[in-house]
């Protein structure tokens, strides 16, 4: 378990001065994940907010080796670096005993365009950690829907209108798809739970092989909330059981956070403009459909975690 | 120097074994599959030190190659046609990051319609991505070119990725006599790789693949332009050195009976072999005909081509692909452009031929040479561009 005192004196791999928006959750995820590594790290990133805000030439916010290749290939690129390390190590051409290879991607670069690359790299079993900073839409290009976008959310390519109340599909459950890959470690975490995220990263770094963390990243621009509330948005997602915190280690599920009182989904919707239309009269049925699906997924998870279904 | 019977694919795989790259990432595709199959066996038998990444697509193959090369490794791959197209998003990233990845590329027609046989449409489609391109006439050249490409790409002044091509099935699957080099001599020839940068250099962390906007992007493209210019000399030096060491010298272009020729055929790849037979035949009949083989397509050896064709009256430019621009094939357009400022230049006619593996036979070459003779005699070109061998 990570200790705040110890983490406070560790050096950040990503320094300040980058150009992320006020209240952006992505650098929070990067720092909380990388602080957990006791070994050197080498980073890849998909094209997206993280790469854009941290690497505008001639500046870089990265104090550690960093490679950006393209949008859909963070995992494949990272797998190439890891293969290079394995080859050089076997030939006695590199000194480092162990390096943590970390691939970052947003939900666009992970759930959608980079899905095949991710699946392939995980199946091949590279010793790497893939972290999805999931802000539930294509935020870098101006808030377009992704397969991670929740039902009912307003995006610029699935806007609410006279005929529709935002996105008409549920989000893809990528974490469960990664569980189906049979990886040694899969976890779901969120901004707002630093100990949970950093502990999960630490656990992942102590396991050899492919690991996956899906971290919910509130985005003030795309979600439309007061930028001061970024951690609060992550907490509300967990308290409403919309985004449960759990991990699967060698096939064994563990729930990491169970709210004392499960809040209705509308509590998550209220502070966010992307859901504002759902709270207007006439959209009660959509809200009920979302609540039903959240309940169904939550109960299925409780069952997998062998928790009591209250 | 062991002389072996090898197909083009086997010859390329043999060169890869001798190069012993640190990483190979590849995905199978006809007719290049054998290259990676044979190489996988080398890996399985411990004959190489390579980490073989059996990726789930060519896109990931090139992506992993970029990752591994950015990590300071000597990296190779192999592909063809649709696979090359799937890689194509990443190809200019590899050259922009100055990663000397070497690819064995087997020329095959692009879909659609789907076809597995030879033409040059796949390789021509990626000609503008900052990759060196060398075409091979036969299995021997495929082997020699792969060894040389490693030296050219890794040259400190060049640092560009390169593809060595063979013609699908015609070279890739045809068994020929190939003189190979001893393992020790090949190893010495290729030399140890000294990467100029690595994301595994933990003491000197670098950021690669930065967002590069209006202020810098243009400046960061110029080194590729300059490296391509310098590559012409480097290719000549490497080809000369190869000749001194192993007896087979290579240039940017190759001429065959062209010195006193009045008419010429200009071609790439396996068609050159067919052309030589007809040139010999016509020479025996007293026709002054010669061949200009373009070995290197990127960088484009414009000066060498202008010099080689200066005394020719008429030339047939053979293109095994079309650009659908109504201006003929890629080779024709580039040669025509190269000749624009020349004081002495031949009449040119373009023959787009052999698409989707349509055979080009001795009789076809004979007829094209006869056309060219007629153009020379008439002092004008009867038909500027024709799609030769297509049924009405």
């Amino acid at each position: 378990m990570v200790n705040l005192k110890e983490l406070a004196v560790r050096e950040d791999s990503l320094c300040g001065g980058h150009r992320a928006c006020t209240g952006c959750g992505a650098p929070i995820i990067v720092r909380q994940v990388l602080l957990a590594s006791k070994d050197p790290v080498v980073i890849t990133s998909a094209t997206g907010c993280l790469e854009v805000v941290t690497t505008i030439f001639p500046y870089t916010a990265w104090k550690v080796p960093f490679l950006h290749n393209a949008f859909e290939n963070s995992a494949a690129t990272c797998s190439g670096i890891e293969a290079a390390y394995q080859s050089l190590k076997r030939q006695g051409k590199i000194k480092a005993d162990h390096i943590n290879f970390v691939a970052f991607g947003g939900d666009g670069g992970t759930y959608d365009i980079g899905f095949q690359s991710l699946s392939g790299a995980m199946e091949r079993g590279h010793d790497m950690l893939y972290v999805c900073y999931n802000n539930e839409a294509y935020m870098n290009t101006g808030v377009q829907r992704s397969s991670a976008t929740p039902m009912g959310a307003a995006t610029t390519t699935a806007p609410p209108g006279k005929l529709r109340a935002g996105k008409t599909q549920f989000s893809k459950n990528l974490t469960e798809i990664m569980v189906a890959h049979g990886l040694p470690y899969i976890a779901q975490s969120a901004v707002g739970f630093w100990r949970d995220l950093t502990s999960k990263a630490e656990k992942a770094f102590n396991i050899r092989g492919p690991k996956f963390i899906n971290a919910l990243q509130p985005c003030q621009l795309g979600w439309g909330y007061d930028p001061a509330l970024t951690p609060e948005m992550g907490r509300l997602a967990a308290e409403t059981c919309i985004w449960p915190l759990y991990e699967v280690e060698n096939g064994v599920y563990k729930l990491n956070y169970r709210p004392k009182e499960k809040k209705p989904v509308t509590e998550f919707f209220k502070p966010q403009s992307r859901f504002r239309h759902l709270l207007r009269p006439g959209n009660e049925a959509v809200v009920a459909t979302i609540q039903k699906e959240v309940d169904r997924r939550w109960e299925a998870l409780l069952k997998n975690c062998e928790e009591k279904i209250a | 120097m062991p002389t072996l019977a090898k197909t083009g694919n086997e010859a390329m795989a043999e060169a890869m074994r001798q190069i012993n790259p640190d990483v190979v990432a590849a995905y199978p595709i006809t007719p290049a599959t054998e290259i990676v199959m044979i190489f996988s066996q080398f890996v399985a038998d411990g004959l190489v030190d390579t980490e073989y990444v059996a990726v789930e697509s060519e896109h990931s193959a090139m992506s992993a190659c970029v990752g591994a090369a950015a990590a300071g490794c000597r990296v190779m791959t192999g592909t063809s046609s649709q696979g090359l197209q799937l890689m194509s998003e990443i190809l200019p990233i590899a050259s922009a990051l100055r990663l000397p990845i070497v690819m064995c590329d087997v020329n095959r027609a692009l879909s659609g319609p789907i076809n597995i046989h030879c033409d040059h449409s796949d390789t021509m489609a990626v000609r503008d991505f900052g990759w060196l391109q060398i075409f091979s006439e036969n299995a021997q050249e495929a082997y020699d070119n792969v060894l040389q490409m490693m030296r050219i790409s890794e040259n400190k002044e060049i640092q560009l990725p390169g593809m060595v091509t063979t013609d699908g099935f015609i070279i890739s699957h045809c068994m020929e006599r190939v003189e190979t080099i001893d393992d020790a001599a090949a190893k010495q020839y290729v030399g140890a790789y000294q990467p100029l940068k690595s994301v595994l250099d933990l003491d000197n962390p670098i950021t690669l693949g930065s967002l590069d906007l209006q202020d810098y992007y243009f400046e960061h493209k110029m080194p590729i332009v300059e490296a391509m210019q310098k590559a012409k000399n480097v290719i000549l030096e490497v080809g000369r050195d190869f000749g001194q060491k192993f007896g087979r010298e290579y240039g940017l272009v190759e001429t065959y009976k062209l010195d006193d020729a009045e008419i010429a055929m200009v071609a790439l790849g396996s068609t050159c072999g067919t052309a030589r037979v007809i040139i010999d035949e016509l020479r025996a009949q007293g026709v002054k005909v010669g061949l200009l083989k373009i070995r290197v397509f990127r960088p484009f050896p414009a000066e060498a081509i202008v010099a080689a064709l200066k005394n020719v009256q008429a030339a047939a430019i053979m293109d095994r692909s079309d650009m659908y621009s109504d201006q003929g094939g890629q080779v024709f357009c580039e040669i025509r452009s190269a000749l624009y400022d020349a004081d002495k230049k031949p009449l040119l006619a373009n023959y787009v031929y052999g698409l989707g593996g349509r055979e080009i036979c001795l009789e076809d070459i004979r007829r094209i040479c006869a056309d060219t003779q007629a153009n020379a005699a008439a002092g004008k070109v009867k038909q500027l561009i024709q799609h030769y061998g297509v049924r009405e």
Side-chain angles (χ1 to χ4, degrees):
Chain A
M1 196 62 136
V2 291
N3 161 330
L4 194 56
K5 217 169 160 182
E6 203 189 308
L7 291 180
V9 296
R10 286 194 195 161
E11 202 186 339
D12 267 323
S13 301
L14 181 71
C15 69
H18 56 69
R19 305 186 193 191
C21 303
T22 309
C24 178
I28 298 173
I29 291 169
V30 171
R31 293 172 64 222
Q32 290 180 356
V33 165
L34 297 182
L35 274 178
S37 177
K38 295 190 183 80
D39 290 330
V41 294
V42 173
I43 310 299
T44 66
S45 171
T47 306
C49 290
L50 181 64
E51 161 262 335
V52 165
V53 303
T54 59
T55 72
I56 301 182
F57 193 87
Y59 306 105
T60 181
W62 295 94
K63 293 181 174 177
V64 292
F66 173 93
L67 173 62
H68 158 251
N69 189 348
F71 189 8
E72 68 279 58
N73 62 3
S74 184
T77 305
C78 189
S79 79
I81 301 176
E82 191 264 355
Y85 171 76
Q86 299 299 347
S87 177
L88 295 176
K89 198 175 176 201
R90 199 171 52 238
Q91 298 177 65
K93 292 180 181 172
I94 192 162
K95 277 180 271 175
D97 284 332
H98 185 259
I99 296 174
N100 284 318
F101 297 99
V102 187
F104 287 101
D107 49 299
T110 308
Y111 278 66
D112 291 347
I113 200 168
F115 181 57
Q116 173 183 317
S117 172
L118 168 67
S119 178
M122 295 288 105
E123 182 273 335
R124 292 193 298 275
H126 295 277
D127 183 22
M128 61 181 273
L129 168 63
Y130 192 102
V131 179
C132 176
Y133 63 101
N134 175 10
N135 50 37
E136 300 191 322
Y138 305 152
M139 300 312 188
N140 188 45
T141 45
V143 198
Q144 290 85 32
R145 63 91 81 186
S146 78
S147 63
T149 303
M151 178 182 273
T155 55
T156 55
T157 49
K162 284 176 189 163
L163 301 178
R164 285 181 198 158
K167 193 188 174 198
T168 54
Q169 303 86 359
F170 297 116
S171 64
K172 181 158 88 187
N173 196 335
L174 183 65
T175 307
E176 288 303 309
I177 295 170
M178 297 323 291
V179 171
H181 279 65
L183 310 182
Y185 188 72
I186 301 108
Q188 200 166 271
S189 187
V191 169
F193 296 89
W194 71 266
R195 189 188 296 277
D196 180 81
L197 179 55
T198 306
S199 299
K200 284 171 175 169
E202 187 179 50
K203 197 176 260 189
F205 288 141
N206 285 328
I207 294 167
R208 297 293 167 262
K211 289 87 59 173
F212 177 81
I213 294 177
N214 198 348
L216 186 72
Q217 181 239 304
C219 167
Q220 53 96 349
L221 183 79
W223 292 15
Y225 60 83
D226 175 352
L229 298 180
T230 295
E232 182 58 24
M233 289 305 111
R235 283 195 287 270
L236 273 174
E239 286 165 4
T240 52
C241 303
I242 286 173
W243 191 261
L245 310 185
Y246 71 103
E247 62 193 336
V248 184
E249 197 174 347
N250 295 316
V252 180
Y253 280 75
K254 187 182 173 192
L255 191 68
N256 306 112
Y257 172 77
R258 185 160 189 172
K260 284 194 186 90
E261 190 193 340
K262 183 172 170 243
K263 292 181 178 170
V265 292
T266 48
E267 291 302 303
F268 181 63
F269 294 169
K270 279 177 194 166
Q272 300 180 43
S273 65
R274 65 173 171 158
F275 294 118
R276 187 173 296 144
H277 57 285
L278 293 184
L279 305 175
R280 290 187 191 128
N283 281 327
E284 295 82 356
V286 180
V287 174
T289 304
I290 296 167
Q291 183 68 61
K292 197 175 161 196
E293 177 64 9
V294 167
D295 293 347
R296 188 193 67 79
R297 289 188 187 189
W298 172 246
E299 282 174 23
L301 178 64
L302 290 178
K303 211 170 149 191
N304 283 333
C305 296
E306 296 180 9
E307 293 263 339
K308 261 197 222 159
I309 298 169
Chain B
M1 284 204 195
T3 301
L4 307 164
K6 290 212 174 285
T7 64
N9 282 343
E10 289 168 353
M12 281 180 143
E14 180 67 358
M16 285 176 74
R17 181 187 66 75
Q18 293 184 316
I19 289 167
N20 191 15
D22 299 309
V23 175
V24 167
Y27 191 78
I29 180 167
T30 304
T33 305
E34 272 181 331
I35 299 171
V36 294
M37 275 168 55
I38 296 164
F39 193 81
S40 301
Q41 193 64 49
F42 294 151
V43 174
D45 292 337
L47 298 179
V48 286
D49 298 310
T50 310
E51 187 74 13
Y52 184 86
V53 190
V55 284
E56 84 297 334
S57 70
E58 289 89 353
H59 194 283
S60 285
M62 189 42 59
S63 301
C65 284
V66 164
C73 280
R74 180 175 272 166
V75 178
M76 299 186 78
T77 188
T79 194
S80 179
S81 186
Q82 302 307 108
L84 187 59
Q85 298 310 299
L86 194 52
M87 286 180 178
S88 69
E89 186 207 11
I90 310 305
L91 297 178
I93 297 174
S95 57
L97 292 174
R98 309 298 294 277
L99 302 173
I101 298 160
V102 170
M103 179 198 296
C104 299
D105 167 31
V106 181
N107 298 312
R108 164 184 149 180
L110 286 180
S111 294
I114 189 166
N115 177 293
I116 56 167
H117 292 282
C118 174
D119 70 33
H120 294 166
S121 53
D122 52 353
T123 302
M124 286 298 167
V126 300
R127 71 195 185 278
D128 300 336
F129 291 161
W131 280 63
L132 305 156
Q133 291 184 322
I134 296 183
F135 283 73
S136 315
E137 184 180 332
N138 50 42
Q140 180 70 62
E141 289 194 3
Y143 171 82
D144 292 347
N145 286 339
V146 171
L147 292 174
Q148 289 174 70
M149 186 61 101
M150 210 78 238
R151 287 263 306 261
I152 298 159
S153 288
E154 289 177 0
N155 182 294
K156 286 192 166 40
E157 298 287 312
I158 308 303
Q159 296 283 303
L160 286 175
M163 53 186 80
V164 172
T165 83
T166 62
D167 285 349
F169 291 105
I170 301 165
I171 301 174
S172 68
H173 285 63
C174 179
M175 193 161 282
E176 293 180 276
R177 180 180 176 280
V178 177
E179 273 185 33
T180 59
I181 300 163
D182 293 332
D183 283 0
K187 188 179 176 182
Q188 198 188 6
Y189 174 76
V190 175
Y193 178 43
Q194 305 286 342
L196 299 182
K197 57 182 176 287
S198 170
V199 291
L200 292 181
D201 183 353
L202 302 169
D203 299 327
N204 303 289
I206 50 169
T207 292
L208 277 181
S210 297
L211 179 63
D212 205 36
L213 301 175
Q214 305 95 315
D215 275 356
Y216 292 97
Y217 180 91
F218 206 168
E219 284 70 26
H220 291 157
K221 284 296 180 188
M222 283 314 289
I224 302 173
V225 175
E226 288 155 13
M228 273 291 175
Q229 285 166 354
K230 289 179 189 163
K232 291 185 187 178
N233 273 335
V234 171
I235 292 167
L236 286 172
E237 281 162 25
V238 167
R240 213 174 292 130
D241 179 54
F242 193 86
Q244 281 163 5
K245 288 191 167 78
F246 310 116
R248 294 182 297 277
E249 189 175 325
Y250 290 88
L252 298 166
V253 298
E254 184 191 331
T255 58
Y256 182 66
K257 301 191 177 175
L258 195 64
D259 289 348
D260 64 340
E262 290 165 0
I263 63 163
M265 174 166 279
V266 183
L268 288 74
S270 60
T271 302
C272 296
T274 316
R276 286 173 204 268
V277 176
I278 296 302
I279 287 166
D280 288 349
E281 178 189 293
L282 293 175
R283 280 275 173 180
Q285 297 164 14
V287 182
K288 288 190 170 177
V289 56
L291 170 72
L292 175 62
K293 175 169 94 180
I294 301 187
R295 175 185 180 236
V296 178
F297 194 73
R298 284 291 179 269
F300 190 71
E303 305 84 352
I305 291 167
V306 171
L309 294 178
K310 69 174 190 287
N311 294 322
V312 171
Q313 293 166 23
I317 313 297
M318 305 293 288
D319 262 294
R320 203 159 194 157
S321 55
D322 199 344
M323 301 200 295
Y324 311 107
S325 72
D326 193 36
Q327 293 296 303
Q330 291 87 350
V331 183
F332 181 61
C333 284
E334 300 240 0
I335 290 181
R336 231 178 153 195
S337 167
L339 290 170
Y340 183 81
D341 295 316
D343 296 328
K344 291 168 71 185
K345 53 196 163 196
L347 297 167
L348 299 184
N350 187 206
Y351 295 82
V352 176
Y353 75 102
L355 301 191
R358 177 66 49 88
E359 292 267 29
I360 181 91
C361 300
L362 295 174
E363 180 54 27
D364 301 314
I365 304 285
R366 214 176 269 131
R367 282 165 63 180
I368 292 167
C369 285
D371 271 10
T372 312
Q373 260 186 296
N375 286 342
K380 62 176 184 185
V381 175
K382 193 177 171 196
Q383 190 178 349
L384 185 66
I385 298 158
Q386 60 178 288
H387 291 79
Y388 183 89
V390 69
R391 285 191 301 273
E392 295 282 323

